[in-house]
Amino acid sequence: MKTKTFKTLCYLASFFFLSTTAMAFDYMAFNKTVGGNLYGSFQMADTLPVVDFGFGGGIFFDYRFNERFSFMIESVLTFQDGKDRSNGEGSIVFYGVPAFTFKCYVAGGKYRIDPYIGIGVGLYGLTEGSADNNTGGLALGAQVELGGDYLLTDNFLVGTGATFRSVCI
């Protein structure tokens, strides 16, 4: 029991530190950002397939049309394996292509640390995996995002955040 609790705590800590850690190179202007994400992903609902902690990544384009608001388009991809009732099923891929997020920056771009909240929608999918049990699908989903960016220079930022995705697959 202690091993399972320790493992769960490690997964949650990894998720906190790896979830949407973004490095972006800003070119041409402060309001246009192209970058990449690293993701840690875990399942909160007890649905089939039951998947373990997964890692992945993505790319994004963010257009900040003033100091307070931005619009982001991103593609997400995480790789996971089955566990518990879905044990033995591997190579399950969760993807979001595209996902749209409207962000509100709390500090309004006045400081090097720039926290934000966001809401959005996306088209999400789940691949079949290694077992042929009809677990794949494609559906529309909603998301809520909390995070922050740290501006290292005028052209380079590092960010971290967490995204909750509710997907009807």
Side-chain angles (χ1 to χ4, degrees), residues 84-138:
D84 297 336
R85 294 179 296 186
S86 301
N87 198 17
E89 184 167 1
S91 304
I92 300 169
V93 178
F94 173 78
Y95 59 92
V97 181
F100 303 96
T101 306
F102 179 77
K103 293 183 189 178
C104 176
Y105 286 85
V106 179
K110 296 177 183 173
Y111 308 103
R112 285 199 164 294
I113 297 176
D114 209 4
Y116 64 85
I117 57 174
I119 59 171
V121 296
L123 185 61
Y124 299 102
L126 190 66
T127 63
E128 180 66 32
S130 60
D132 189 19
N133 56 4
N134 200 25
T135 56
L138 188 66

Side-chain angles (χ1 to χ4, degrees), residues 12 14 24 27-29 39-40 58 62 67 76-77 84-85 88 90 94 104 108 115 120 126 136 139 149 152:
L12 290 174
S14 298
Y27 68 94
M28 297 182 64
Y39 285 102
D62 191 290
E67 292 180 351
V76 178
L77 188 71
D84 297 336
R85 294 179 296 186
F94 173 78
C104 176
L126 190 66
D149 295 334
L152 296 172

